[in-house]
Amino acid sequence: MSNDYTNKVIDYFRNPHNMGKMENPNGIGKVGNTVCGDVMWIYIKVKDEVITDCSFETFGCVAAIATSSALTDLVKGKSIEEALKVTNKDVANELGGLPSMKMHCSLLAEQGLKAAVDDYRKKSSDGKS
Ligand code: FES
């Protein structure tokens, strides 16, 4: 894999899908990379255990923004169970690959979704969702 970003990464970075804070989400996942300081929020809306909407806010590098955006596209419409099977490698593949030194950035998206689902489950069990 070269050290260049694919056109798809650049496109997702320049024209991110599903970017922005969500009103009244059912789950919010906040994750960060302590090494670079990048931070990501993943928001989900859930109905009948299906992720009906997903958005993100990312303060980070090109790869972090592109992967969070691609993740939202990949998990929308999936059941929570299916969405949790989406790995950072799936996200990177969706983007046509990432430079190997940037693969760690894609972990944030996977971890952010898991954190959002954990938050949703916690709120559901608290009877607040
Ligand atoms: Fe921080 Fe990419 S350099 S997530």
Side-chain angles (χ1 to χ4, degrees):
M1 171 64 53
S2 85
N3 284 332
D4 294 334
Y5 287 123
T6 63
N7 288 339
K8 214 164 173 190
V9 171
I10 299 296
D11 189 46
Y12 264 99
F13 171 67
R14 290 206 176 124
N15 307 294
H17 308 176
N18 311 307
M19 187 170 68
K21 191 173 180 176
M22 184 184 286
E23 292 295 315
N24 304 315
N26 298 114
I28 304 172
K30 181 188 175 195
V31 288
N33 181 323
T34 49
V35 177
C36 63
D38 291 352
V39 187
M40 178 186 298
W41 285 261
I42 299 284
Y43 303 92
I44 53 172
K45 275 224 199 302
V46 180
K47 189 164 189 331
D48 299 330
E49 291 295 296
V50 170
I51 297 177
T52 56
D53 200 6
C54 185
S55 71
F56 77 96
E57 289 181 295
T58 297
F59 297 94
C61 68
V62 170
I65 290 170
T67 53
S68 43
S69 180
L71 174 100
T72 62
D73 279 345
L74 280 173
V75 302
K76 265 210 242 186
K78 282 190 164 61
S79 67
I80 287 181
E81 195 183 325
E82 287 173 339
L84 288 176
K85 289 181 189 156
V86 173
T87 66
N88 71 313
K89 290 196 179 81
D90 296 327
V91 175
N93 287 341
E94 175 69 15
L95 293 166
L98 282 172
S100 52
M101 62 184 292
K102 285 290 181 180
M103 271 307 283
H104 74 276
C105 311
S106 63
L107 270 175
L108 279 185
E110 182 186 323
Q111 292 165 348
L113 177 70
K114 287 193 166 80
V117 169
D118 284 348
D119 184 51
Y120 162 69
R121 295 233 190 272
K122 185 174 180 311
K123 285 175 177 159
S124 301
S125 65
D126 290 347
K128 291 181 192 155
S129 183

Short mmCIF file of all heavy atoms in Angstrom, two decimals, residues 56-100:
data_model
loop_
_atom_site.label_atom_id
_atom_site.label_comp_id
_atom_site.label_asym_id
_atom_site.label_seq_id
_atom_site.Cartn_x
_atom_site.Cartn_y
_atom_site.Cartn_z
N PHE A 56 -21.56 11.87 12.68
CA PHE A 56 -20.29 11.98 13.41
C PHE A 56 -19.80 13.41 13.48
O PHE A 56 -20.19 14.26 12.66
CB PHE A 56 -19.21 11.12 12.71
CG PHE A 56 -18.67 11.78 11.46
CD1 PHE A 56 -17.50 12.51 11.51
CD2 PHE A 56 -19.34 11.68 10.26
CE1 PHE A 56 -16.99 13.13 10.38
CE2 PHE A 56 -18.85 12.30 9.11
CZ PHE A 56 -17.67 13.03 9.17
N GLU A 57 -18.97 13.66 14.46
CA GLU A 57 -18.16 14.88 14.53
C GLU A 57 -16.75 14.42 14.82
O GLU A 57 -16.54 13.65 15.77
CB GLU A 57 -18.60 15.78 15.67
CG GLU A 57 -19.94 16.46 15.48
CD GLU A 57 -20.25 17.35 16.66
OE1 GLU A 57 -20.43 16.82 17.77
OE2 GLU A 57 -20.31 18.57 16.47
N THR A 58 -15.82 14.83 14.01
CA THR A 58 -14.43 14.41 14.20
C THR A 58 -13.51 15.61 14.12
O THR A 58 -13.57 16.38 13.15
CB THR A 58 -14.03 13.37 13.13
OG1 THR A 58 -14.84 12.21 13.29
CG2 THR A 58 -12.56 12.98 13.25
N PHE A 59 -12.69 15.74 15.13
CA PHE A 59 -11.63 16.74 15.10
C PHE A 59 -10.35 15.94 14.96
O PHE A 59 -9.83 15.41 15.95
CB PHE A 59 -11.65 17.58 16.38
CG PHE A 59 -12.93 18.36 16.51
CD1 PHE A 59 -13.99 17.88 17.23
CD2 PHE A 59 -13.09 19.57 15.83
CE1 PHE A 59 -15.19 18.57 17.32
CE2 PHE A 59 -14.28 20.26 15.90
CZ PHE A 59 -15.34 19.78 16.65
N GLY A 60 -9.92 15.77 13.73
CA GLY A 60 -8.77 14.91 13.53
C GLY A 60 -8.22 14.98 12.13
O GLY A 60 -8.55 15.88 11.34
N CYS A 61 -7.42 13.98 11.83
CA CYS A 61 -6.69 13.96 10.57
C CYS A 61 -7.62 13.57 9.40
O CYS A 61 -8.78 13.18 9.62
CB CYS A 61 -5.53 12.97 10.66
SG CYS A 61 -6.08 11.27 10.78
N VAL A 62 -7.09 13.66 8.20
CA VAL A 62 -7.85 13.30 6.99
C VAL A 62 -8.42 11.89 7.11
O VAL A 62 -9.60 11.64 6.83
CB VAL A 62 -6.93 13.40 5.74
CG1 VAL A 62 -7.61 12.82 4.51
CG2 VAL A 62 -6.52 14.85 5.51
N ALA A 63 -7.59 10.95 7.55
CA ALA A 63 -8.03 9.55 7.63
C ALA A 63 -9.12 9.38 8.69
O ALA A 63 -10.07 8.62 8.49
CB ALA A 63 -6.84 8.64 7.96
N ALA A 64 -9.01 10.09 9.80
CA ALA A 64 -10.02 9.97 10.86
C ALA A 64 -11.37 10.50 10.36
O ALA A 64 -12.42 9.91 10.62
CB ALA A 64 -9.57 10.72 12.11
N ILE A 65 -11.34 11.60 9.64
CA ILE A 65 -12.59 12.18 9.12
C ILE A 65 -13.19 11.27 8.05
O ILE A 65 -14.38 10.96 8.06
CB ILE A 65 -12.34 13.61 8.59
CG1 ILE A 65 -12.06 14.53 9.78
CG2 ILE A 65 -13.53 14.11 7.77
CD1 ILE A 65 -11.55 15.90 9.44
N ALA A 66 -12.36 10.82 7.12
CA ALA A 66 -12.87 9.97 6.03
C ALA A 66 -13.41 8.65 6.58
O ALA A 66 -14.47 8.17 6.15
CB ALA A 66 -11.76 9.70 5.01
N THR A 67 -12.72 8.06 7.56
CA THR A 67 -13.19 6.77 8.07
C THR A 67 -14.44 6.91 8.92
O THR A 67 -15.32 6.05 8.88
CB THR A 67 -12.09 6.03 8.89
OG1 THR A 67 -11.58 6.89 9.89
CG2 THR A 67 -10.97 5.56 8.00
N SER A 68 -14.56 8.01 9.66
CA SER A 68 -15.79 8.16 10.45
C SER A 68 -16.97 8.36 9.51
O SER A 68 -18.06 7.82 9.73
CB SER A 68 -15.68 9.27 11.49
OG SER A 68 -15.06 10.41 11.01
N SER A 69 -16.75 9.12 8.44
CA SER A 69 -17.84 9.34 7.47
C SER A 69 -18.23 8.03 6.78
O SER A 69 -19.42 7.71 6.65
CB SER A 69 -17.39 10.38 6.44
OG SER A 69 -18.42 10.59 5.52
N ALA A 70 -17.22 7.26 6.36
CA ALA A 70 -17.51 5.98 5.68
C ALA A 70 -18.22 5.03 6.63
O ALA A 70 -19.13 4.30 6.22
CB ALA A 70 -16.20 5.36 5.16
N LEU A 71 -17.82 5.04 7.90
CA LEU A 71 -18.49 4.16 8.87
C LEU A 71 -19.99 4.48 8.96
O LEU A 71 -20.82 3.58 8.98
CB LEU A 71 -17.86 4.31 10.26
CG LEU A 71 -18.62 3.53 11.32
CD1 LEU A 71 -17.93 2.21 11.63
CD2 LEU A 71 -18.84 4.31 12.58
N THR A 72 -20.32 5.77 8.99
CA THR A 72 -21.75 6.12 9.11
C THR A 72 -22.52 5.56 7.92
O THR A 72 -23.63 5.07 8.09
CB THR A 72 -21.96 7.65 9.22
OG1 THR A 72 -21.50 8.28 8.04
CG2 THR A 72 -21.28 8.22 10.45
N ASP A 73 -21.94 5.62 6.73
CA ASP A 73 -22.61 5.06 5.55
C ASP A 73 -22.77 3.55 5.68
O ASP A 73 -23.80 2.99 5.32
CB ASP A 73 -21.79 5.34 4.28
CG ASP A 73 -22.01 6.74 3.74
OD1 ASP A 73 -22.98 7.40 4.16
OD2 ASP A 73 -21.21 7.17 2.89
N LEU A 74 -21.73 2.89 6.20
CA LEU A 74 -21.74 1.43 6.27
C LEU A 74 -22.74 0.88 7.29
O LEU A 74 -23.28 -0.20 7.09
CB LEU A 74 -20.34 0.91 6.64
CG LEU A 74 -19.33 0.84 5.51
CD1 LEU A 74 -17.95 0.46 6.06
CD2 LEU A 74 -19.76 -0.16 4.45
N VAL A 75 -22.97 1.60 8.38
CA VAL A 75 -23.81 1.02 9.44
C VAL A 75 -25.27 1.46 9.38
O VAL A 75 -26.12 0.82 9.99
CB VAL A 75 -23.24 1.29 10.86
CG1 VAL A 75 -21.82 0.76 10.97
CG2 VAL A 75 -23.30 2.76 11.22
N LYS A 76 -25.55 2.53 8.65
CA LYS A 76 -26.95 2.98 8.57
C LYS A 76 -27.81 1.89 7.95
O LYS A 76 -27.48 1.34 6.89
CB LYS A 76 -27.05 4.23 7.69
CG LYS A 76 -27.03 5.50 8.50
CD LYS A 76 -27.83 6.55 7.79
CE LYS A 76 -26.98 7.72 7.42
NZ LYS A 76 -27.78 8.81 6.86
N GLY A 77 -28.92 1.58 8.62
CA GLY A 77 -29.84 0.56 8.10
C GLY A 77 -29.50 -0.85 8.56
O GLY A 77 -30.25 -1.78 8.29
N LYS A 78 -28.37 -1.01 9.23
CA LYS A 78 -28.00 -2.35 9.72
C LYS A 78 -28.54 -2.55 11.14
O LYS A 78 -28.72 -1.57 11.89
CB LYS A 78 -26.47 -2.49 9.78
CG LYS A 78 -25.80 -2.76 8.45
CD LYS A 78 -24.34 -3.13 8.69
CE LYS A 78 -23.69 -3.77 7.49
NZ LYS A 78 -23.63 -2.97 6.29
N SER A 79 -28.76 -3.81 11.48
CA SER A 79 -29.10 -4.10 12.87
C SER A 79 -27.85 -3.82 13.70
O SER A 79 -26.72 -3.81 13.17
CB SER A 79 -29.50 -5.56 13.03
OG SER A 79 -28.39 -6.40 12.80
N ILE A 80 -28.05 -3.60 14.99
CA ILE A 80 -26.90 -3.35 15.86
C ILE A 80 -25.92 -4.51 15.78
O ILE A 80 -24.71 -4.31 15.69
CB ILE A 80 -27.37 -3.11 17.31
CG1 ILE A 80 -28.03 -1.74 17.40
CG2 ILE A 80 -26.22 -3.23 18.29
CD1 ILE A 80 -28.51 -1.37 18.77
N GLU A 81 -26.46 -5.71 15.78
CA GLU A 81 -25.60 -6.89 15.73
C GLU A 81 -24.73 -6.88 14.47
O GLU A 81 -23.52 -7.13 14.53
CB GLU A 81 -26.50 -8.13 15.75
CG GLU A 81 -25.77 -9.40 16.08
CD GLU A 81 -26.70 -10.60 16.00
OE1 GLU A 81 -27.88 -10.46 16.34
OE2 GLU A 81 -26.23 -11.66 15.57
N GLU A 82 -25.34 -6.57 13.32
CA GLU A 82 -24.56 -6.53 12.07
C GLU A 82 -23.57 -5.37 12.09
O GLU A 82 -22.43 -5.50 11.63
CB GLU A 82 -25.50 -6.31 10.87
CG GLU A 82 -26.34 -7.50 10.50
CD GLU A 82 -27.37 -7.13 9.42
OE1 GLU A 82 -27.68 -5.94 9.26
OE2 GLU A 82 -27.83 -8.04 8.75
N ALA A 83 -24.01 -4.23 12.60
CA ALA A 83 -23.15 -3.04 12.60
C ALA A 83 -21.90 -3.27 13.44
O ALA A 83 -20.82 -2.79 13.09
CB ALA A 83 -23.93 -1.84 13.12
N LEU A 84 -22.05 -4.02 14.54
CA LEU A 84 -20.90 -4.26 15.41
C LEU A 84 -19.88 -5.19 14.75
O LEU A 84 -18.75 -5.29 15.22
CB LEU A 84 -21.35 -4.84 16.76
CG LEU A 84 -22.05 -3.83 17.68
CD1 LEU A 84 -22.53 -4.53 18.94
CD2 LEU A 84 -21.13 -2.67 18.04
N LYS A 85 -20.27 -5.84 13.67
CA LYS A 85 -19.32 -6.71 12.96
C LYS A 85 -18.47 -5.91 11.97
O LYS A 85 -17.53 -6.43 11.38
CB LYS A 85 -20.07 -7.80 12.20
CG LYS A 85 -20.68 -8.84 13.12
CD LYS A 85 -21.40 -9.91 12.31
CE LYS A 85 -22.20 -10.83 13.21
NZ LYS A 85 -23.31 -11.48 12.51
N VAL A 86 -18.84 -4.63 11.74
CA VAL A 86 -18.06 -3.79 10.82
C VAL A 86 -16.75 -3.42 11.51
O VAL A 86 -16.75 -2.82 12.58
CB VAL A 86 -18.85 -2.51 10.43
CG1 VAL A 86 -17.98 -1.57 9.62
CG2 VAL A 86 -20.12 -2.89 9.66
N THR A 87 -15.65 -3.81 10.90
CA THR A 87 -14.34 -3.57 11.51
C THR A 87 -13.66 -2.37 10.84
O THR A 87 -14.11 -1.89 9.79
CB THR A 87 -13.41 -4.78 11.32
OG1 THR A 87 -13.15 -4.92 9.92
CG2 THR A 87 -14.04 -6.05 11.87
N ASN A 88 -12.58 -1.95 11.45
CA ASN A 88 -11.83 -0.83 10.85
C ASN A 88 -11.28 -1.24 9.48
O ASN A 88 -11.12 -0.40 8.60
CB ASN A 88 -10.71 -0.35 11.78
CG ASN A 88 -9.57 -1.31 11.91
OD1 ASN A 88 -9.78 -2.51 12.11
ND2 ASN A 88 -8.37 -0.81 11.78
N LYS A 89 -11.03 -2.54 9.29
CA LYS A 89 -10.55 -3.00 7.97
C LYS A 89 -11.65 -2.87 6.93
O LYS A 89 -11.39 -2.50 5.78
CB LYS A 89 -10.07 -4.44 8.05
CG LYS A 89 -8.79 -4.59 8.85
CD LYS A 89 -8.12 -5.93 8.58
CE LYS A 89 -6.84 -6.03 9.37
NZ LYS A 89 -7.02 -6.40 10.76
N ASP A 90 -12.90 -3.16 7.33
CA ASP A 90 -14.03 -2.98 6.40
C ASP A 90 -14.13 -1.51 5.98
O ASP A 90 -14.39 -1.19 4.82
CB ASP A 90 -15.36 -3.39 7.05
CG ASP A 90 -15.40 -4.87 7.40
OD1 ASP A 90 -14.79 -5.67 6.66
OD2 ASP A 90 -16.05 -5.22 8.41
N VAL A 91 -13.96 -0.64 6.97
CA VAL A 91 -14.06 0.80 6.69
C VAL A 91 -12.94 1.22 5.74
O VAL A 91 -13.16 1.94 4.76
CB VAL A 91 -14.00 1.63 8.00
CG1 VAL A 91 -13.99 3.11 7.69
CG2 VAL A 91 -15.17 1.28 8.91
N ALA A 92 -11.73 0.74 6.02
CA ALA A 92 -10.59 1.07 5.15
C ALA A 92 -10.82 0.52 3.74
O ALA A 92 -10.55 1.21 2.74
CB ALA A 92 -9.30 0.52 5.74
N ASN A 93 -11.36 -0.70 3.64
CA ASN A 93 -11.64 -1.28 2.32
C ASN A 93 -12.66 -0.44 1.57
O ASN A 93 -12.56 -0.26 0.35
CB ASN A 93 -12.17 -2.71 2.45
CG ASN A 93 -11.07 -3.67 2.84
OD1 ASN A 93 -9.89 -3.36 2.69
ND2 ASN A 93 -11.45 -4.82 3.36
N GLU A 94 -13.66 0.05 2.29
CA GLU A 94 -14.69 0.89 1.67
C GLU A 94 -14.04 2.12 1.02
O GLU A 94 -14.54 2.65 0.02
CB GLU A 94 -15.70 1.31 2.75
CG GLU A 94 -16.78 2.29 2.32
CD GLU A 94 -17.77 1.68 1.35
OE1 GLU A 94 -17.80 0.44 1.22
OE2 GLU A 94 -18.51 2.45 0.70
N LEU A 95 -12.93 2.56 1.59
CA LEU A 95 -12.24 3.74 1.10
C LEU A 95 -11.16 3.40 0.07
O LEU A 95 -10.39 4.27 -0.32
CB LEU A 95 -11.61 4.50 2.27
CG LEU A 95 -12.62 5.12 3.24
CD1 LEU A 95 -11.92 5.55 4.53
CD2 LEU A 95 -13.32 6.31 2.60
N GLY A 96 -11.10 2.12 -0.31
CA GLY A 96 -10.07 1.73 -1.28
C GLY A 96 -8.71 1.58 -0.64
O GLY A 96 -7.69 1.59 -1.31
N GLY A 97 -8.69 1.47 0.69
CA GLY A 97 -7.43 1.27 1.41
C GLY A 97 -6.95 2.56 2.06
O GLY A 97 -7.37 3.66 1.70
N LEU A 98 -6.08 2.37 3.04
CA LEU A 98 -5.43 3.51 3.72
C LEU A 98 -3.94 3.25 3.76
O LEU A 98 -3.52 2.08 3.81
CB LEU A 98 -5.93 3.61 5.17
CG LEU A 98 -7.30 4.21 5.44
CD1 LEU A 98 -7.65 4.02 6.92
CD2 LEU A 98 -7.34 5.68 5.07
N PRO A 99 -3.14 4.30 3.77
CA PRO A 99 -1.71 4.07 3.97
C PRO A 99 -1.51 3.32 5.29
O PRO A 99 -2.24 3.59 6.26
CB PRO A 99 -1.14 5.50 4.07
CG PRO A 99 -2.15 6.37 3.41
CD PRO A 99 -3.48 5.72 3.65
N SER A 100 -0.57 2.38 5.35
CA SER A 100 -0.45 1.54 6.55
C SER A 100 -0.22 2.39 7.80
O SER A 100 -0.72 2.06 8.88
CB SER A 100 0.65 0.51 6.37
OG SER A 100 1.83 1.15 5.97
#
